[in-house]
Amino acid sequence: MSITPPRDKSRLGTRTRLVHAGRDPSQQHGFVNTPIYRGSTVLYESYDALKNRRAEYTYGTTGTPTVRALESAWTELAGAAGTVLTPSGLAAVTVGLLSCLKAGDHLLVTDSAYRPTRVFCDGFLKRFGVETTYYDPTIGAGIADLMRDNTAAVLTEAPGSQSFEMQDIPAIAEVAHARGACVLMDNTWATPLLFPPHERGVDIAIEAGTKYLSGGSDLLLGLTSANAKYWPALRRTFDQFAMCAGAEDVFLALRGLRTLPLRLREHGEQALKLARWFQGRPEVARVLHPALPEDPGHAIWSRDFLGASGLFSIILKPCPEAAVAAMLDGLELFGMGFSWGGFESLVIPFDCAPYRTANPWAPGGPGLRFQVGLEDLEDLTRDLEAGFARLRAAA
């Protein structure tokens, strides 16, 4: 049996492609996985090779076989021209933005963006002469009214972080491209498996591999991919910062890549079932999940997405903060912690009101965001039933 990767992957399914992507056992003495390459210095065979940088690898910051394996696999999965790896999801956001912005530019950012992204825009970018305007995530083609002559980029995220508004990415991309602006997207919720970003008009796609690519809550990683137009700028920016991901984290992400479709499907199915369960609870005012037919963004989700992941939010009916604390403090199976995408279930309280500027956040009750893991759903609902009992008793 051959140990070389398949030559023609065009007719292979996604799961098959992910098993083989970025992997060549013939280059690893027959071992299945690319090993962890750690190192800074690369030795050259001759003076001429060093002088002219004639080597596949030139220095640790420019890549190793482990890094290249994940870069090439993710590029294939995302349908991109190239990918760079960073040490966190936020780093992936920043290297993407810095690849298409300069002093004097105007940036449009969805009001539902990941909050650390806002901090970067309002702090670092502002200090270097980039002005940021936040827009209603449901604006769609209406974003044309916010475009200026110096608008260089539009940052999207769908669904929105915590509040889960859907965005019409193709409509926004059409308007932005007509004005010469770059379209970026934080695609961490869906991954390219559920939303192929570059097919939908995104120029630079951002993913936190910390989440579903890891699957184990045990690594930090960012992936930023670009189409042919923006790939040279992205690679140049990355090289100038040398914002390198850790070798062991890259190796763990490669391992997670092989089972990503199976885990993502299970997370999505579990979350949708739990979201429907929440719809029947008297304590819940609203469930924020785009895969539910009742959700305002469901039509866009149905048109553009290939599935849903395991993260969504609920809005409780009005109750004291002490009641929410009583509910959460006694949960046995839902940990309280930031991030998501691992095998374990998580919950955090949230309130977008302090930082939303384009459309005020006033849901009418406390918000809870759930990451649904791989536990038995019956156990999760029993844990939540007990939590709701504590909430009612403390209200």
Side-chain angles (χ1 to χ4, degrees):
M1 182 178 70
S2 173
I3 59 172
T4 58
R7 291 189 180 90
D8 181 12
K9 298 181 182 179
S10 60
R11 285 186 271 181
L12 299 177
T14 300
R15 285 167 51 173
T16 305
R17 285 169 47 224
L18 284 184
V19 166
H20 295 277
R23 191 170 64 82
D24 188 353
S26 67
Q27 299 298 310
Q28 313 298 340
H29 307 286
F31 286 99
V32 169
N33 292 310
T34 305
I36 299 174
Y37 283 80
R38 299 184 185 89
S40 55
T41 301
V42 175
L43 301 181
Y44 293 80
E45 293 184 352
S46 66
Y47 169 86
D48 177 71
L50 185 147
K51 180 181 178 180
N52 295 288
R53 300 294 192 270
R54 257 196 289 275
E56 186 172 1
Y57 301 97
T58 58
Y59 191 70
T61 58
T62 63
T64 68
T66 315
V67 168
R68 183 166 297 177
L70 183 54
E71 286 177 342
S72 63
W74 197 261
T75 295
E76 180 181 334
L77 175 62
T83 301
V84 296
L85 310 181
T86 61
S88 70
L90 180 57
V93 173
T94 62
V95 76
L97 287 169
L98 293 172
S99 298
C100 59
L101 292 169
K102 64 182 185 304
D105 282 344
H106 175 237
L107 168 66
L108 288 169
V109 175
T110 175
D111 206 26
S112 58
Y114 177 53
R115 192 174 185 183
T117 298
R118 300 177 72 107
V119 174
F120 177 76
C121 294
D122 296 339
F124 185 95
L125 290 184
K126 183 178 180 180
R127 288 194 291 114
F128 283 83
V130 175
E131 182 183 358
T132 300
T133 299
Y134 295 95
Y135 64 88
D136 184 334
T138 64
I139 199 170
I143 203 167
D145 295 335
L146 302 179
M147 301 287 290
R148 305 177 188 172
D149 291 341
N150 65 333
T151 302
V154 180
L155 177 63
T156 66
E157 181 175 335
S161 181
Q162 298 183 338
S163 50
F164 288 87
E165 299 94 339
M166 289 301 301
Q167 291 199 260
D168 192 335
I169 304 298
I172 292 173
E174 184 177 0
V175 171
H177 291 157
R179 300 291 294 271
C182 176
V183 177
L184 304 96
M185 180 183 182
D186 187 332
N187 193 38
T188 303
W189 183 85
T191 81
L193 287 175
L194 304 181
F195 184 89
H198 301 296
E199 285 184 19
R200 304 285 194 262
V202 175
D203 299 303
I204 297 178
I206 298 150
E207 317 271 349
T210 307
K211 282 35 175 203
Y212 288 117
L213 185 56
S214 163
S217 303
D218 55 3
L219 67 86
L220 290 167
L221 186 72
L223 306 100
T224 310
S225 63
N227 59 17
K229 180 177 180 180
Y230 285 93
W231 167 238
L234 175 62
R235 184 70 217 193
R236 185 167 57 248
T237 302
F238 174 81
D239 288 336
Q240 289 170 354
F241 276 86
M243 199 184 297
C244 305
E248 291 193 15
D249 287 350
V250 175
F251 175 82
L252 289 173
L254 274 167
R255 187 170 66 178
L257 182 73
R258 313 306 174 191
T259 60
L260 177 60
L262 302 176
R263 291 184 287 104
L264 193 58
R265 182 181 64 190
E266 188 67 16
H267 281 294
E269 291 178 355
Q270 291 251 103
L272 189 55
K273 289 177 182 176
L274 190 60
R276 289 179 177 136
W277 181 83
F278 276 126
Q279 285 184 313
R281 295 295 310 189
E283 305 88 353
V284 176
R286 186 155 51 104
V287 179
L288 311 179
H289 193 314
L292 293 173
E294 299 82 5
D295 190 89
H298 182 72
I300 291 176
W301 176 84
S302 298
R303 184 194 68 192
D304 294 340
F305 284 68
L306 306 176
S309 66
L311 192 76
F312 68 95
S313 293
I314 66 171
I315 303 300
L316 296 171
K317 292 179 180 177
C319 62
E321 185 177 8
V324 177
M327 173 186 178
L328 300 187
D329 283 344
L331 291 175
E332 297 180 353
L333 301 179
F334 288 84
M336 282 186 284
F338 299 100
S339 197
W340 37 277
F343 49 78
E344 79 287 9
S345 292
L346 300 171
V347 60
I348 58 167
F350 72 92
D351 180 9
C352 305
Y355 56 88
R356 294 290 282 263
T357 56
N359 55 339
W361 177 253
L368 298 177
R369 190 184 72 177
F370 287 89
Q371 130 78 10
V372 184
L374 303 178
E375 302 92 341
D376 287 306
L377 196 60
E378 295 79 7
D379 295 329
L380 296 180
T381 55
R382 275 197 298 269
D383 196 22
L384 289 167
E385 284 174 346
F388 279 129
R390 290 190 299 273
L391 181 145
R392 293 192 302 272

Short mmCIF file of all heavy atoms in Angstrom, two decimals, residues 6 39 46 53 86-87 101 114 161 188 207 239 264 292 294 301 307 319 337 390:
data_model
loop_
_atom_site.label_atom_id
_atom_site.label_comp_id
_atom_site.label_asym_id
_atom_site.label_seq_id
_atom_site.Cartn_x
_atom_site.Cartn_y
_atom_site.Cartn_z
N PRO A 6 -2.89 11.07 -1.59
CA PRO A 6 -3.59 10.95 -2.87
C PRO A 6 -3.20 12.10 -3.79
O PRO A 6 -3.06 13.25 -3.38
CB PRO A 6 -5.07 11.04 -2.47
CG PRO A 6 -5.12 10.74 -1.02
CD PRO A 6 -3.82 11.19 -0.45
N GLY A 39 12.79 24.63 16.62
CA GLY A 39 14.10 25.14 16.25
C GLY A 39 14.07 26.55 15.73
O GLY A 39 13.04 27.05 15.27
N SER A 46 26.05 25.10 1.99
CA SER A 46 27.21 25.76 1.40
C SER A 46 27.09 27.27 1.57
O SER A 46 26.02 27.80 1.90
CB SER A 46 27.33 25.43 -0.08
OG SER A 46 26.22 25.98 -0.80
N ARG A 53 19.90 32.08 0.06
CA ARG A 53 18.77 31.48 0.77
C ARG A 53 18.18 30.31 -0.03
O ARG A 53 16.98 30.18 -0.19
CB ARG A 53 17.67 32.52 1.02
CG ARG A 53 18.10 33.70 1.87
CD ARG A 53 18.42 33.26 3.30
NE ARG A 53 18.55 34.43 4.19
CZ ARG A 53 19.68 35.09 4.42
NH1 ARG A 53 20.80 34.70 3.79
NH2 ARG A 53 19.73 36.10 5.25
N THR A 86 -0.75 31.94 13.83
CA THR A 86 -0.38 32.88 14.88
C THR A 86 -0.61 32.24 16.25
O THR A 86 -1.27 31.20 16.35
CB THR A 86 -1.22 34.16 14.77
OG1 THR A 86 -2.61 33.83 14.93
CG2 THR A 86 -1.01 34.84 13.42
N PRO A 87 -0.06 32.86 17.32
CA PRO A 87 -0.16 32.22 18.64
C PRO A 87 -1.50 32.34 19.33
O PRO A 87 -1.65 31.82 20.44
CB PRO A 87 0.94 32.92 19.44
CG PRO A 87 1.13 34.22 18.76
CD PRO A 87 0.87 33.99 17.32
N LEU A 101 -4.55 47.69 6.19
CA LEU A 101 -4.79 49.04 6.70
C LEU A 101 -3.49 49.82 6.82
O LEU A 101 -2.42 49.24 7.04
CB LEU A 101 -5.45 48.98 8.08
CG LEU A 101 -6.88 48.43 8.15
CD1 LEU A 101 -7.28 48.18 9.60
CD2 LEU A 101 -7.86 49.39 7.47
N TYR A 114 -16.20 40.26 18.29
CA TYR A 114 -15.45 39.78 19.46
C TYR A 114 -14.86 40.98 20.19
O TYR A 114 -14.17 41.82 19.59
CB TYR A 114 -14.37 38.85 18.93
CG TYR A 114 -13.41 38.25 19.91
CD1 TYR A 114 -13.84 37.55 21.04
CD2 TYR A 114 -12.03 38.31 19.66
CE1 TYR A 114 -12.92 36.96 21.90
CE2 TYR A 114 -11.11 37.73 20.51
CZ TYR A 114 -11.56 37.06 21.63
OH TYR A 114 -10.66 36.48 22.49
N SER A 161 -20.50 37.60 18.03
CA SER A 161 -20.01 37.09 19.30
C SER A 161 -21.01 37.38 20.41
O SER A 161 -21.38 38.53 20.62
CB SER A 161 -18.65 37.73 19.62
OG SER A 161 -18.14 37.25 20.83
N THR A 188 -14.72 31.95 13.20
CA THR A 188 -14.43 30.93 14.20
C THR A 188 -15.64 30.08 14.54
O THR A 188 -15.52 28.88 14.78
CB THR A 188 -13.87 31.60 15.48
OG1 THR A 188 -12.72 32.36 15.15
CG2 THR A 188 -13.49 30.56 16.52
N GLU A 207 -9.62 32.66 11.96
CA GLU A 207 -10.14 31.56 12.77
C GLU A 207 -9.32 31.45 14.05
O GLU A 207 -8.11 31.61 14.03
CB GLU A 207 -10.00 30.21 12.03
CG GLU A 207 -10.37 30.24 10.57
CD GLU A 207 -11.83 29.96 10.32
OE1 GLU A 207 -12.51 29.55 11.28
OE2 GLU A 207 -12.28 30.16 9.18
N ASP A 239 5.47 37.99 8.15
CA ASP A 239 6.93 37.86 8.21
C ASP A 239 7.57 39.04 8.93
O ASP A 239 8.57 38.89 9.65
CB ASP A 239 7.51 37.74 6.80
CG ASP A 239 7.21 36.39 6.16
OD1 ASP A 239 6.97 35.43 6.90
OD2 ASP A 239 7.23 36.31 4.91
N LEU A 264 -17.40 18.55 15.12
CA LEU A 264 -18.21 19.73 14.85
C LEU A 264 -19.67 19.35 14.62
O LEU A 264 -20.58 20.03 15.09
CB LEU A 264 -17.64 20.46 13.63
CG LEU A 264 -18.16 21.88 13.39
CD1 LEU A 264 -17.90 22.78 14.58
CD2 LEU A 264 -17.54 22.45 12.13
N LEU A 292 -32.31 28.02 14.40
CA LEU A 292 -33.72 27.92 14.77
C LEU A 292 -34.57 28.72 13.78
O LEU A 292 -34.26 29.88 13.49
CB LEU A 292 -33.94 28.45 16.18
CG LEU A 292 -33.31 27.65 17.33
CD1 LEU A 292 -33.46 28.40 18.64
CD2 LEU A 292 -33.92 26.25 17.43
N GLU A 294 -37.17 30.32 14.16
CA GLU A 294 -37.69 31.54 14.75
C GLU A 294 -36.65 32.66 14.82
O GLU A 294 -36.98 33.81 15.10
CB GLU A 294 -38.22 31.26 16.16
CG GLU A 294 -39.34 30.24 16.22
CD GLU A 294 -38.84 28.79 16.21
OE1 GLU A 294 -37.59 28.58 16.24
OE2 GLU A 294 -39.68 27.88 16.17
N TRP A 301 -28.71 32.33 7.43
CA TRP A 301 -28.00 31.12 7.83
C TRP A 301 -28.33 29.96 6.89
O TRP A 301 -27.43 29.24 6.44
CB TRP A 301 -28.35 30.75 9.27
CG TRP A 301 -27.73 29.47 9.72
CD1 TRP A 301 -26.47 29.29 10.21
CD2 TRP A 301 -28.33 28.17 9.67
NE1 TRP A 301 -26.25 27.96 10.48
CE2 TRP A 301 -27.37 27.25 10.16
CE3 TRP A 301 -29.58 27.69 9.27
CZ2 TRP A 301 -27.64 25.89 10.25
CZ3 TRP A 301 -29.85 26.33 9.36
CH2 TRP A 301 -28.88 25.45 9.85
N GLY A 307 -24.20 24.35 8.10
CA GLY A 307 -24.51 23.71 9.38
C GLY A 307 -24.29 24.70 10.50
O GLY A 307 -23.99 25.88 10.27
N CYS A 319 -34.64 38.80 36.14
CA CYS A 319 -34.42 38.18 37.45
C CYS A 319 -33.19 38.83 38.08
O CYS A 319 -32.35 39.39 37.37
CB CYS A 319 -34.24 36.66 37.34
SG CYS A 319 -32.83 36.16 36.36
N GLY A 337 -16.16 29.44 32.12
CA GLY A 337 -14.86 29.84 31.59
C GLY A 337 -14.99 30.37 30.18
O GLY A 337 -15.89 29.98 29.44
N ARG A 390 -32.76 26.43 41.31
CA ARG A 390 -32.05 27.34 42.20
C ARG A 390 -32.34 28.80 41.80
O ARG A 390 -32.48 29.67 42.67
CB ARG A 390 -30.54 27.07 42.13
CG ARG A 390 -30.11 25.75 42.76
CD ARG A 390 -28.60 25.65 42.88
NE ARG A 390 -27.95 25.71 41.57
CZ ARG A 390 -27.73 24.68 40.79
NH1 ARG A 390 -28.14 23.47 41.15
NH2 ARG A 390 -27.12 24.82 39.64
#
